[in-house]
Amino acid sequence: MLIFTEQELKQYVQLNNEAIAIVEAGFTKLTDNEAVMPPIMRVDLHDQNGEVDVKTAYVKGEDMFAIKVSSGFFNNYKLGLSSGNGLMLLISTQTGIPQAILLDNGYLTEVRTAAAGAIAANYLSRKNIETAGVIGAGSQARYQARALKLVRDFKRILVYSRSEDRSRKYAVDMSAELGVEVQVAESAEELVRNSDTVITTTPATEPVIKAEWLHPGLHITAMGSDAEHKQELEAEVLARADKLICDTKAQCARLGELHHALDKGILTNESHVIELGQLTSGKLSGRVNDEEITVCDLTGTGVQDTVIALFAYSELVKREIGLKVENKKLALKN
């Protein structure tokens, strides 16, 4: 067995166009029925404002698949800690024997989630945008801005979060990193009304975006709702959208923004909902004009975890990096 550390993974796996292409191919595999992905298992620790998810998927033809344990503890910022953490385990598809542990502390999840945001924006956002709006000021809010910059050449970011201090810190840091103007919005409404593309990255349990704020040409990527009790968008937002995209319809209907719209009867069925893999595979088109309002509901898939973990494994193994640990099981004797 090989063990890889966060520092090793960060050195050779970055959020870049290669990572985006790998995750995009994963979505295509999913829609082409070339992946087996069970429902997410989750443990909620509501009294600690935390959760732990287990996600996995087998991509047909691959030698290994990943099982990921991912945590989100949303009071961690008070301790100076990231809200996200976790690790990934790679298991042989031939023998079931564990092959590697990726002690990434949630880093690969940050990368693959941001990559999905970039893919959504590339297919659904207008080609020419001036202002990107980011709701939330945590780690994933930063990754999403970096990812968007890889596919759209925006000039300004508006940021809004519950903590003005965190928003201001975000503005200073991301302005320096991306070389764009970053302003703190006074409200979510101000941000939405003045942005071409909006990304929501919060663990909100009540909507932070209202349908009345939508305007022609707007694209929204909502990636914070990945549990039944979470919600970032009013259900009416989904009804107002000209195109509604999910990473997977089944998962979003259970955990994402889509499930609130279905439960409230705002949407009566999923027939017009598009899966992201239908766009990446070329089966359906994304944005077709500059006036459409588009919404993408991302809940995070096991396929993303497996493809990014396999990529990370290959990058480190070819450089002969990783701690090798003997992990042999004694054969039974007759």
Side-chain angles (χ1 to χ4, degrees):
M1 174 183 284
L2 289 170
I3 300 176
F4 306 113
T5 66
E6 178 186 3
Q7 291 73 23
E8 292 166 340
L9 291 162
K10 282 185 172 179
Q11 187 174 357
Y12 297 106
V13 181
Q14 282 94 38
L15 175 60
N16 54 25
N17 288 317
E18 186 176 17
I20 291 171
I22 287 162
V23 174
E24 184 165 341
F27 281 117
T28 298
K29 293 275 189 183
L30 190 59
T31 204
D32 287 344
N33 295 316
E34 294 180 27
V36 178
M37 190 174 72
I40 298 168
M41 187 187 84
R42 189 182 76 250
V43 178
D44 289 314
L45 295 84
H46 291 306
D47 56 335
Q48 301 296 329
N49 197 18
E51 64 191 32
V52 178
D53 295 314
V54 179
K55 296 182 180 181
T56 185
Y58 163 49
V59 178
K60 296 176 182 178
E62 296 290 353
D63 293 336
M64 294 179 289
F65 72 98
I67 297 176
K68 182 187 75 173
V69 179
S70 177
S71 64
F73 278 65
F74 303 106
N75 292 337
N76 277 2
Y77 72 92
K78 299 176 183 177
L79 304 173
L81 300 173
S82 172
S83 62
N85 211 302
L87 56 83
M88 296 188 183
L89 175 68
L90 281 171
I91 295 178
S92 168
T93 58
Q94 284 77 45
T95 65
I97 297 173
Q99 301 295 299
I101 299 175
L102 288 69
L103 299 174
D104 67 316
N105 295 324
Y107 171 69
L108 294 177
T109 296
E110 299 276 27
V111 171
R112 65 75 148 155
T113 304
I119 294 162
N122 201 31
Y123 283 92
L124 298 166
S125 181
R126 297 203 320 259
K127 294 296 181 184
N128 298 309
I129 65 173
E130 291 290 324
T131 302
V134 179
I135 297 181
S139 180
Q140 186 55 211
R142 294 165 183 259
Y143 275 97
Q144 287 291 337
R146 294 168 187 143
L148 182 61
K149 194 63 175 172
L150 292 171
V151 297
R152 291 293 184 271
D153 188 25
F154 55 87
K155 304 297 189 294
R156 180 176 72 145
I157 294 175
L158 291 176
V159 62
Y160 173 78
S161 76
R162 293 174 301 172
S163 168
E164 186 173 345
D165 288 343
R166 296 183 82 203
S167 293
R168 294 193 183 283
K169 180 72 164 57
Y170 180 98
V172 171
D173 293 347
M174 298 311 292
S175 177
E177 179 179 336
L178 298 180
V180 300
E181 177 186 4
V182 184
Q183 297 178 351
V184 177
E186 293 186 3
S187 65
E189 178 177 1
E190 176 192 338
L191 182 146
V192 173
R193 290 190 184 275
N194 291 282
S195 296
D196 304 301
T197 292
V198 172
I199 306 162
T200 60
T201 67
T202 76
T205 56
E206 295 182 357
V208 294
I209 293 183
K210 296 184 177 182
E212 64 191 64
W213 304 343
L214 305 185
H215 53 84
L218 177 65
H219 169 67
I220 298 173
T221 295
M223 49 73 55
S225 180
D226 56 1
E228 294 88 343
H229 60 281
K230 295 183 183 178
Q231 185 178 8
E232 296 184 299
L233 311 180
E234 270 190 345
E236 291 78 5
V237 169
L238 279 65
R240 285 275 308 275
D242 296 300
K243 278 194 173 75
L244 175 57
I245 292 82
C246 292
D247 45 17
T248 77
K249 286 196 282 187
Q251 196 164 285
C252 289
R254 183 168 72 93
L255 303 173
E257 302 294 340
L258 177 60
H259 109 267
H260 295 289
L262 293 172
D263 286 354
K264 293 179 180 179
I266 303 297
L267 296 177
T268 56
N269 61 68
E270 305 165 39
S271 60
H272 78 291
V273 180
I274 299 170
E275 290 195 337
L276 195 54
Q278 293 176 286
L279 304 184
T280 63
S281 65
K283 291 182 173 66
L284 295 174
S285 299
R287 176 176 290 273
V288 295
N289 62 62
D290 284 350
E291 300 302 306
E292 281 186 310
I293 296 172
T294 56
V295 173
C296 186
D297 185 7
L298 298 179
T299 51
T301 67
V303 163
Q304 292 166 256
D305 297 314
T306 285
V307 296
I308 200 68
L310 290 174
F311 172 65
Y313 179 89
S314 67
E315 289 297 295
L316 272 64
V317 165
K318 71 184 180 184
R319 294 176 172 87
E320 299 183 347
I321 292 171
L323 174 65
K324 189 172 184 179
V325 178
E326 290 298 323
N327 186 34
K328 292 183 179 179
K329 183 176 182 179
L330 295 177
L332 293 175
K333 294 182 180 180
N334 292 327

